Amino acid sequence: QLYARIKAHPTPRLVWAERLVADGVLAPDDVETMEREVRERLEGIHTELKAETEPEQPEADEAGDFAGAPKFGEVDTRVPAEQLISLNEQLLQYPADFTPHPRLQRQLERRREALVGDQGVDWGHAEALAFASILAEGTSVRLTGQDAERGTFSQRHAVLSDSENGSTYVPLAGLATGEAFFEVYNSPLSETAILGFEYGFSTAAPHALVLWEAQFGDFVNVAQPIIDQFIVADRAKWGQDSGVVLLLPHGYEGQGPEHSSARLERFLQSCAEGSLRVGYPTTPAQYYHVLRRQAKLDPRRPLVLMTPKSLLRLPAASSQLAALAEGRFHPVLDDPTASASIDAVRRVVLCSGKIYYDLAKERDAGGLTHVALVRIEELYPWPHEELTRIVQRYPNVVDVVWAQEEPQNMGGWSYAAPLIPTSIGTLRPLLYVGRSKRASPAEGHLSVHQQEQARIVAEALGDPATAAAKPKREREKASAGR
């Protein structure tokens, strides 16, 4: 009965047309003319679509990617050291009537010393220099997130508050040239809405660097519909490109299941046909260069970055000015300590992100020169050539280990396991070291986390002779899921 009543009811087009005629806005002939023009336009579009040839589907290559995926060439992300020092100095200048908080001012003043001293540049500082250099080149930067102005971990301080009257000052805003702009906003805990808006903004402002930062990477869960339906598939569905950047704090520090994992595995599972770029940088310089690269790359694709928490101020994770001024983003980082003992290396440990520093600390403390730690900084596109070249430097390797903090059914393992043999060959065994398969991404107790973390590090650095001597059944069990 309802459908019959709907069918008998005049359509909205007819109701509105009659209203416009009754009000004297249109004449009856105008209505017919408009209807005919719209119908003819739509029929013409339909005819053109039917006449187009169905595009050929690209064939998958051996690495599981597609020949039809967009290719990303190298771009120059270097900035002269003198210019970086100048930009840094401009960021430390305040209006005459502005009074920053004394403790915060001292903290920011240390950024001047960091460029010329041995302490190096930390993550927040490297990000500020990346944004400043991008703005100086005439490219706009827009950043939103639950605590984006200060940074969830007090690492950014993009918006400064006057300690006497509460007025605000944004140093980066003054560095934009031409029509470029810098915007940073704190956004509510409504990830679907905010990321949806920022995705749309990135398509409407294609020459701006648009970033959204989750308070903790785990919170990206709430934005999953935007990721699945728009960010990942927009090019495949509509031929639309976006350069939106997702900054997702990720790392296992014993803070529990809701403050550890940005679900790296979900993004890697969605990688195909150049849908995304997914990275897990381990140094401020790498972060700096990947942001500058994102602002310059064409074609544009979304960038998903696992960003740090405990590494934000870790001295071992700092970078020198030269690495920002003269370097570039490296999809794979070789072990910086292995050059003197290449022939002694028997085990290569592949890893991504924060766990590298846990492994390096224990490896160096134990004098384990037989272990080389190789970092995969960009997981998609898979850095096949770079990884092949680095592993070939070690002629006496007995086995290769993939080490991760995440459970075996999460993190990078399921994605990387079938790709690693194509890059390093199949003559050496590939072992998995990490947490076992689990339903929850992390432990709920700090003591349990510390115990598991210590076990992972110890197993990853284990004696290769012992690993090679294991019975075949044990080795197969260790590499299960490969």
Side-chain angles (χ1 to χ4, degrees):
Q1 292 176 356
L2 177 62
Y3 287 137
R5 291 177 63 186
I6 292 173
K7 186 175 181 180
H9 195 282
T11 64
R13 177 188 58 78
L14 183 59
V15 171
W16 184 235
E18 292 176 348
R19 169 71 180 274
L20 293 176
V21 171
D23 290 349
V25 177
L26 292 176
D29 290 345
D30 295 332
V31 173
E32 294 180 5
T33 300
M34 294 171 69
E35 290 177 354
R36 184 177 63 255
E37 290 176 349
V38 171
R39 184 171 58 253
E40 290 175 351
R41 181 169 63 86
L42 294 176
E43 288 176 349
I45 295 172
H46 188 219
T47 300
E48 291 178 5
L49 287 173
K50 290 175 65 177
E52 289 184 1
T53 305
E54 187 72 20
E56 296 182 4
Q57 293 297 321
E59 296 182 0
D61 62 23
E62 63 178 8
D65 207 344
F66 284 80
K71 302 302 180 184
F72 307 107
E74 273 298 324
V75 296
D76 189 355
T77 56
R78 296 173 298 174
V79 178
E82 297 77 11
Q83 184 178 350
L84 290 175
I85 293 173
S86 175
L87 292 171
N88 188 67
E89 194 62 32
Q90 293 176 63
L91 292 175
L92 296 176
Q93 303 301 316
Y94 313 116
D97 59 349
F98 184 81
T99 307
H101 193 286
R103 279 187 292 179
L104 179 57
Q105 185 176 11
R106 288 195 297 271
Q107 177 181 331
L108 295 177
E109 286 289 336
R110 286 198 290 270
R111 292 184 174 182
R112 180 181 288 117
E113 303 167 8
L115 292 185
V116 296
D118 296 330
Q119 67 186 65
V121 175
D122 64 20
W123 288 80
H125 192 186
E127 181 188 79
L129 292 174
F131 289 164
S133 60
I134 291 168
L135 291 165
E137 294 170 348
T139 298
S140 299
V141 177
R142 173 183 170 87
L143 170 65
T144 60
Q146 279 92 17
D147 202 359
E149 294 180 1
R150 182 196 66 171
T152 298
F153 311 99
S154 299
Q155 82 279 11
R156 180 170 294 123
H157 298 293
V159 178
L160 305 178
S161 296
D162 191 300
S163 60
E164 295 183 359
N165 58 31
S167 64
T168 59
Y169 173 61
V170 184
L172 281 164
L175 296 180
T177 61
E179 297 181 356
F181 57 82
F182 177 76
E183 295 179 318
V184 57
Y185 299 110
N186 290 337
S187 58
L189 279 163
S190 181
E191 290 83 0
T192 297
I194 304 304
L195 185 54
F197 184 89
E198 299 307 327
Y199 167 80
F201 196 103
S202 73
T203 63
H207 301 297
L209 179 65
V210 180
L211 311 99
W212 173 74
E213 181 177 62
Q215 195 167 50
F216 284 83
D218 315 64
F219 298 2
V220 77
N221 279 339
V222 186
Q224 204 63 43
I226 302 299
I227 296 166
D228 292 344
Q229 298 179 34
F230 294 91
I231 292 178
V232 170
D234 62 348
R235 190 174 187 275
K237 292 195 288 189
W238 311 303
Q240 178 168 279
D241 284 336
S242 163
V244 68
V245 180
L246 277 61
L247 303 177
L248 308 177
H250 176 89
Y252 282 50
E253 286 99 357
Q255 294 178 296
E258 275 68 58
H259 294 83
S260 298
S261 176
R263 295 292 189 172
L264 173 62
E265 65 279 357
R266 293 182 183 172
F267 293 102
L268 295 175
Q269 188 181 40
S270 299
C271 288
E273 303 178 86
S275 55
L276 301 170
R277 283 188 286 271
V278 180
Y280 196 172
T282 57
T283 71
Q286 286 281 86
Y287 181 49
Y288 165 90
H289 285 294
V290 80
L291 290 178
R292 285 188 46 78
R293 186 187 71 170
Q294 182 69 3
K296 292 170 173 284
L297 272 179
D298 184 39
R300 303 161 67 250
R301 288 309 302 149
L303 172 65
V304 179
L305 291 179
M306 304 291 111
T307 56
K309 294 175 288 181
S310 61
L311 303 188
L312 289 170
R313 298 174 181 86
L314 183 70
S318 63
S319 297
Q320 298 300 313
L321 173 62
L324 279 64
E326 303 167 8
R328 64 177 180 85
F329 177 75
H330 298 273
V332 183
L333 288 179
D334 196 2
D335 194 320
T337 68
S339 297
S341 57
I342 287 179
D343 291 337
V345 171
R346 297 293 184 269
R347 167 170 286 194
V348 170
V349 177
L350 305 178
C351 62
S352 288
K354 167 191 159 287
I355 195 172
Y356 164 77
Y357 291 97
D358 296 339
L359 292 166
K361 181 179 179 181
E362 292 301 316
R363 190 269 311 269
D364 296 344
L368 305 178
T369 57
H370 69 278
V371 178
L373 305 176
V374 176
R375 286 166 277 179
I376 311 296
E377 301 277 294
E378 184 172 61
L379 292 112
Y380 187 85
W382 178 252
H384 168 70
E385 294 179 0
E386 293 88 345
L387 182 57
T388 299
R389 183 168 58 252
I390 288 174
V391 174
Q392 286 178 345
R393 292 185 63 222
Y394 304 103
N396 299 319
V397 170
V398 174
D399 55 16
V400 177
V401 171
W402 175 272
Q404 67 177 37
E405 301 178 307
E406 303 88 350
Q408 189 174 1
N409 55 321
M410 302 177 195
W413 169 247
S414 297
Y415 162 80
L419 299 177
I420 293 173
T422 68
S423 300
I424 69 170
T426 58
L427 297 179
R428 307 179 185 93
L430 173 60
L431 309 176
Y432 166 82
V433 175
R435 285 166 171 80
S436 59
K437 293 181 179 180
R438 294 180 181 174
S440 178
E443 301 87 4
H445 296 280
L446 178 60
S447 59
V448 179
H449 158 78
Q450 292 171 336
Q451 181 179 351
E452 270 289 82
Q453 201 79 356
R455 176 192 63 80
I456 292 170
V457 170
E459 288 189 12
L461 300 176
D463 185 350
T466 302
K470 285 183 179 180
K472 179 180 179 183
R473 186 171 60 184
E474 290 188 31
R475 293 204 306 272
E476 290 175 348
K477 182 178 179 181
S479 60
R482 193 171 59 190

